[in-house]
Amino acid sequence: MDIEPQPGFRAFRDYRWDGVACLPYKQDASAPFKAISRQVLFAEPKLGCELRYFEMPAGGFSTLERHEHMHAVRSLRGRGHCRLGEQVRTVRPYDLVTIPSWTWHQFRATQGEPLGFLCMVNAVRDKPQLPSGQELAALRSNPAVAAFLAS
Amino acid sequence: MDIEPQPGFRAFRDYRWDGVACLPYKQDASAPFKAISRQVLFAEPKLGCELRYFEMPAGGFSTLERHEHMHAVRSLRGRGHCRLGEQVRTVRPYDLVTIPSWTWHQFRATQGEPLGFLCMVNAVRDKPQLPSGQELAALRSNPAVAAFLAS
């Protein structure tokens, strides 16, 4: 097996887990994001999905992107906002967000506090797409989304 | 599509989620468990896994069972104990538990408070096996496990 099996029990302490690396999130130098970290909680060869924990400090945001694969998100820490297609909504701890295929999405820690969320995703998946200049202009034509992107 | 897509945002309130049914857990009348409920948070045709939330009041317990499929568990509410193979360990909020294939496992709300946990599991999976009388006797030969089973 080329992936080391996880030990059975891994304790939680202050939004870190024993034996789980906390990595800066940087999939692509051209992807604009701010101060977001990533911890992979479960990535097992026998599971069809991975579970990751993403966290950003106040003012941080994830990349505005879309892709074929879905995200199943459960927020964990703090309040913030999520943009999902044409909607911008407040996200509070433990809320669920379903991000369908090819839907533009972004999380922002807009409330002066850290924002952290769990994301379940297929282990085999496509790479995200970023918006072109033209697409970004179209996204900004919705006032709620424009205010969100500028926050 | 024979499964209705989930709405994008589903709010959390007191360990329930908007639009998510809270069901008594009863997969088999012969499976011994106590007072455990189940909420399916994500079950999407495009995802290889489901995410479920199980909760039991003080004194409740899940079925002692094993199966080929893995569980990736993240506890959420309260403290309790988990039996995993030959180990019995305290579980506190947000701890991770990896349950490998064919490993006997059970959760118990042993601390006078509810115990709730998230479980990620492959959407396509085998049915659990229960211990035979002989297997249960062998499991009880470990004093820590025997005390756990009697708690």
Side-chain angles (χ1 to χ4, degrees):
Chain A
M1 194 185 299
D2 60 353
I3 299 179
E4 197 171 339
Q6 291 292 352
F9 296 92
R10 288 173 289 156
F12 168 86
R13 283 188 202 95
D14 194 25
Y15 298 94
R16 300 284 180 273
W17 287 267
D18 284 352
V20 177
C22 184
L23 303 163
Y25 183 65
K26 197 170 215 171
Q27 57 184 177
D28 182 331
S30 68
F33 58 88
K34 187 176 171 189
I36 185 164
S37 67
R38 177 171 58 101
Q39 295 179 73
V40 180
L41 305 188
F42 293 104
E44 294 281 341
K46 287 193 170 185
L47 284 174
C49 286
E50 298 175 358
L51 189 69
R52 299 95 48 88
Y53 176 65
F54 294 95
E55 190 179 288
M56 56 197 87
F61 51 84
S62 65
T63 309
L64 174 62
E65 61 182 33
R66 66 177 182 177
H67 34 68
E68 197 282 333
H69 65 270
M70 284 189 63
H71 286 316
V73 168
R74 223 222 44 186
S75 65
L76 182 60
R77 179 182 196 177
R79 294 163 307 141
H81 282 86
C82 175
R83 180 254 156 82
L84 179 60
E86 292 297 310
Q87 298 180 72
V88 177
R89 295 278 281 270
T90 304
V91 178
R92 296 186 179 84
Y94 299 1
D95 285 352
L96 307 177
V97 185
T98 303
I99 301 173
S101 293
W102 297 118
T103 305
W104 294 111
H105 58 279
Q106 186 177 46
F107 288 84
R108 284 183 176 253
T110 52
Q111 303 298 299
E113 58 190 297
L115 179 66
F117 57 89
L118 297 164
C119 177
M120 182 170 83
V121 70
N122 282 342
V124 177
R125 56 189 182 269
D126 62 322
K127 291 197 76 166
Q129 287 183 2
L130 306 179
S132 65
Q134 203 169 13
E135 285 168 326
L136 207 51
L139 290 168
R140 287 192 171 125
S141 68
N142 175 328
V145 172
F148 170 79
L149 290 173
S151 66
Chain B
M1 195 185 296
D2 59 352
I3 298 178
E4 197 171 337
Q6 291 292 354
F9 297 92
R10 288 173 290 155
F12 168 86
R13 284 188 201 95
D14 194 24
Y15 299 95
R16 299 286 178 273
W17 287 267
D18 284 352
V20 177
C22 183
L23 303 164
Y25 184 65
K26 198 169 214 173
Q27 58 185 179
D28 182 331
S30 68
F33 58 88
K34 188 177 172 188
I36 184 164
S37 67
R38 176 171 58 99
Q39 296 179 74
V40 180
L41 305 188
F42 293 105
E44 294 281 341
K46 287 193 170 185
L47 284 173
C49 286
E50 297 176 359
L51 189 70
R52 300 94 49 87
Y53 175 66
F54 294 95
E55 189 179 289
M56 56 197 88
F61 51 84
S62 64
T63 309
L64 174 63
E65 62 182 35
R66 66 177 182 177
H67 34 68
E68 196 281 332
H69 66 270
M70 284 189 64
H71 286 315
V73 169
R74 223 222 44 186
S75 65
L76 182 60
R77 179 182 196 178
R79 294 162 307 142
H81 281 86
C82 176
R83 181 252 156 83
L84 179 60
E86 292 297 310
Q87 298 180 72
V88 177
R89 295 276 283 270
T90 304
V91 178
R92 296 185 179 84
Y94 299 2
D95 285 352
L96 306 177
V97 185
T98 304
I99 301 174
S101 292
W102 298 118
T103 304
W104 293 110
H105 58 279
Q106 186 177 45
F107 288 84
R108 284 183 176 252
T110 53
Q111 303 298 299
E113 58 190 295
L115 179 66
F117 56 89
L118 297 164
C119 177
M120 182 171 82
V121 69
N122 282 342
V124 177
R125 57 189 182 269
D126 63 322
K127 291 196 77 167
Q129 287 183 2
L130 305 180
S132 67
Q134 203 170 10
E135 286 168 327
L136 207 51
L139 290 169
R140 286 190 171 126
S141 68
N142 175 328
V145 172
F148 170 77
L149 290 173
S151 66

